Amino acid sequence: PDSGVPVGVDHLATKAAVGVVLFFLFGRHLDFDTALVRKSAKYMIDSLFEKLTNPIYGLTKYIPNTTAYKTEQKLKESQIIIDEVVASELDLLLEEYKNGTKHPDRTEGSVMASLIANEPR
């Protein structure tokens, strides 16, 4: 239903792009908070930029109040956000593999299911 509230194109594009990637990885639609995923992506890009442009990043990331330290904290937060989106789905895939079952709405050939199935035990 249309709430009548305008939604930004960037929000819709993020929702669609992330949804496609997650469907490709897991073979089904996952729910996620688009704003949090956008925040996570920004933190990851900021972290990458800082690591590429700060030659002493590896040292200063341990010193509180440095840019590298703050960037590292944001990177950890971004990883937690992504983990919250995919962790339960990974657990479900592992359970499916162990039991030889498949979630009713999972399509065949998802990347993660294939990786799990082909992993040496």
Side-chain angles (χ1 to χ4, degrees), residues 1-7 12:
D2 186 2
S3 66
V5 177
V7 178
L12 293 175

Side-chain angles (χ1 to χ4, degrees), residues 9-119:
V9 172
D10 56 340
H11 179 88
L12 293 175
T14 300
K15 183 84 170 168
V18 172
V20 166
V21 169
L22 291 174
F23 187 84
F24 181 67
L25 288 173
F26 296 102
R28 63 190 214 114
H29 296 283
L30 304 183
D31 290 325
F32 58 92
D33 183 322
T34 305
L36 281 177
V37 170
R38 287 176 56 82
K39 178 181 175 181
S40 175
K42 180 187 181 327
Y43 286 173
M44 287 182 192
I45 291 168
D46 291 348
S47 173
L48 178 61
F49 179 78
E50 181 67 20
K51 288 178 180 185
L52 291 172
T53 60
N54 181 350
I56 58 171
Y57 183 91
L59 299 173
T60 58
K61 71 180 184 180
Y62 299 107
I63 303 170
N65 296 318
T66 63
T67 301
Y69 180 86
K70 292 174 186 175
T71 300
E72 196 71 13
Q73 298 308 305
K74 288 180 178 181
L75 178 60
K76 289 176 184 173
E77 183 180 343
S78 74
Q79 292 166 338
I80 290 169
I81 291 168
I82 298 303
D83 285 350
E84 288 175 356
V85 172
V86 302
S88 62
E89 195 65 22
L90 285 171
D91 289 341
L92 182 58
L93 275 170
L94 290 170
E95 190 68 26
E96 290 172 19
Y97 179 77
K98 186 174 87 173
N99 295 332
T101 61
K102 183 178 75 118
H103 195 279
D105 66 349
R106 188 176 315 284
T107 59
E108 292 294 326
S110 74
V111 172
M112 296 308 293
S114 297
L115 288 173
I116 291 170
N118 292 317
E119 184 175 306

